Amino acid sequence: YSPSGDVTSRYVYANYGRPSDFELLAAHGVTVDGAIVIMRYGHCFRGLKVMNAQNLGALGAILYSDPADDGYGAGQVYPDGPWRSASSVQRGSVQFL
């Protein structure tokens, strides 16, 4: 869930949104404070990605599924294989406790 609103800001790509990804950005002088952070699914719970970005001052987060990680770029798609098709989407909570 997120409230309705309109956010306009610069975008920052943060790979998987792990603490190490944000540390790498900071080491290169990139801040996510006031930004919309783009992160791909995988390697940690989606709620932690949002929490990590939020804790560093991000205004918003966009999560996406990279086909190379878990979709048609990785192999045969359902029903012929385990991977997601090009038209599939993920949905789920980003709630962190």
Side-chain angles (χ1 to χ4, degrees), residues 10-33:
R10 64 189 173 85
Y11 294 100
V12 174
Y13 174 71
N15 200 21
Y16 290 104
R18 300 167 294 192
S20 59
D21 296 320
F22 289 105
E23 290 165 5
L24 183 62
L25 288 171
H28 287 88
V30 178
T31 178
V32 299
D33 187 39

Side-chain angles (χ1 to χ4, degrees), residues 16-76:
Y16 290 104
R18 300 167 294 192
S20 59
D21 296 320
F22 289 105
E23 290 165 5
L24 183 62
L25 288 171
H28 287 88
V30 178
T31 178
V32 299
D33 187 39
I36 298 168
V37 182
I38 302 171
M39 299 166 281
R40 54 187 173 153
Y41 279 110
H43 294 268
C44 71
F45 171 61
R46 65 179 76 88
L48 294 177
K49 298 170 188 296
V50 173
M51 182 187 74
N52 293 337
Q54 179 181 327
N55 287 344
L56 294 170
L59 295 180
I62 297 172
L63 304 177
Y64 75 97
S65 298
D66 188 336
D69 287 338
D70 67 349
Y72 58 90
Q76 292 259 309

